[in-house]
Amino acid sequence: MPPNLVLCNPSQVTREAGREWGNLCKAAVGYDESFARATSLFIPSLFRAAHLATGQKVSDVATGTGVVAQAAAEIVGSSGRVTAGDISPSMLEAARRKLKGLPIVLEMFDGHNILHRDKHFDAVICQLGLMFFSDPARGLAEFFRVLRDGGRTAISVS
């Protein structure tokens, strides 16, 4: 395992579960009151694994409604930058409403093809998203492509 990759709570999920997740993403309403509330308990471990710190440039891949991005923005502060992306338009719309006025850049992209140059971010985080990628290895390759030398990738899956 590469030294800058940390897997939190690893397991495997079937492609059928990934398709079901895609269906759930079409209905982002209520997400924060249920799933996001429960999974917010994983955020401190994810951030410790990523070594998040003030001033860093962070990518939150598969951000959903932006729960993790919001918490990351608090850590990196005004001297840092959080870019959060998701493939689901409904999730990004919910994130836009929720994060309005916060210094977080929201982008629509597929985690298999992150829209940034090589070695752009100090940290790439992905909470409970990679397990739904059609090709998790390709997603990981993208995480490492946009990660600067010495940066850290932290991923949680269930």
Side-chain angles (χ1 to χ4, degrees):
M1 180 180 311
N4 55 351
L5 172 65
V6 178
L7 296 175
C8 303
N9 306 316
S11 67
Q12 295 185 346
V13 176
T14 66
R15 285 195 172 153
E16 290 76 25
R19 281 192 284 279
E20 182 62 26
W21 173 252
N23 293 335
L24 291 173
C25 286
K26 294 175 185 173
V29 177
Y31 178 88
D32 283 340
E33 291 76 31
S34 58
F35 191 70
R37 182 171 291 172
T39 62
S40 66
L41 300 173
F42 304 132
I43 293 173
S45 296
L46 186 73
F47 288 179
R48 278 192 302 275
H51 292 193
L52 288 195
T54 302
Q56 288 183 323
K57 287 194 293 189
V58 177
S59 176
D60 177 22
V61 180
T63 194
T65 62
V67 173
V68 174
Q70 184 175 12
E74 293 173 14
I75 291 175
V76 302
S78 60
S79 61
R81 180 180 181 121
V82 175
T83 302
D86 204 284
I87 196 170
S88 167
S90 60
M91 288 292 193
L92 281 176
E93 182 54 38
R96 278 189 183 87
R97 286 191 304 271
K98 176 183 186 166
L99 304 174
K100 187 175 183 178
L102 294 177
I104 298 168
V105 176
L106 292 169
E107 301 175 341
M108 182 176 295
F109 64 78
D110 181 336
H112 297 98
N113 185 27
I114 300 172
L115 305 174
H116 288 274
R117 71 181 189 280
D118 294 357
K119 300 181 182 194
H120 182 73
F121 293 103
D122 299 303
V124 177
I125 54 178
C126 182
Q127 175 158 292
L128 300 172
L130 183 67
M131 60 201 182
F132 298 110
F133 283 32
S134 62
D135 186 348
R138 183 171 155 211
L140 285 172
E142 273 297 281
F143 294 6
F144 284 107
R145 182 187 64 77
V146 299
L147 188 66
R148 72 163 174 78
D149 293 338
R152 292 186 61 101
T153 296
I155 300 151
S156 63
V157 296
S158 65

